Amino acid sequence: YTLVHQFCAIGAYAFCAFGSVINKDVPHFVTVTGNPAHSSGLNAEGLRRHGFPDATRKALRQAYRTIYRSNLPLQTALQRLHEQSGQDEAVDVLAAFVERAKRGIVR
């Protein structure tokens, strides 16, 4: 029973908790919950279950902190991720999704 606005995109390996109301895009690898939905962390368990290597999970954890926990404006956070570009392909996929988000992202 999760409500998702018709034009929202939900990224791969994202997790939307029961009863969430999603009105913005949910980036890859992120867990969201609540009404309205907000980020509650990285989908670490899903990444582990799907066999993502430790190095990729660590890089995604750092990227998540940059986007969600650093209190930086989104564009500044994206610039920091681009400075680390090539570190891990999954981080580049996450950054590209956030840049393409037309409705904004759940933060």
Side-chain angles (χ1 to χ4, degrees), residues 60-74:
L60 284 170
R61 233 183 347 263
Q62 183 58 41
Y64 178 87
R65 287 183 189 134
T66 301
I67 294 171
Y68 288 94
R69 302 289 186 236
S70 65
N71 293 321
L72 294 171
L74 189 55

Side-chain angles (χ1 to χ4, degrees), residues 20-22 30-41 64 68 106-107:
S20 298
V21 177
I22 300 169
V30 174
T31 298
V32 296
T33 187
N35 178 8
H38 61 276
S39 169
S40 62
Y64 178 87
Y68 288 94
V106 173
R107 281 185 101 182

Side-chain angles (χ1 to χ4, degrees), residues 6-76:
Q6 66 181 342
F7 297 113
C8 290
I10 298 177
Y13 304 102
F15 182 84
C16 303
F18 180 83
S20 298
V21 177
I22 300 169
N23 56 10
K24 293 185 177 184
D25 293 348
V26 178
H28 299 291
F29 318 114
V30 174
T31 298
V32 296
T33 187
N35 178 8
H38 61 276
S39 169
S40 62
L42 194 64
N43 184 10
E45 183 63 23
L47 296 173
R48 186 189 62 76
R49 287 181 182 174
H50 283 92
F52 282 78
D54 289 340
T56 297
R57 293 194 320 251
K58 183 178 179 182
L60 284 170
R61 233 183 347 263
Q62 183 58 41
Y64 178 87
R65 287 183 189 134
T66 301
I67 294 171
Y68 288 94
R69 302 289 186 236
S70 65
N71 293 321
L72 294 171
L74 189 55
Q75 292 305 317
T76 305

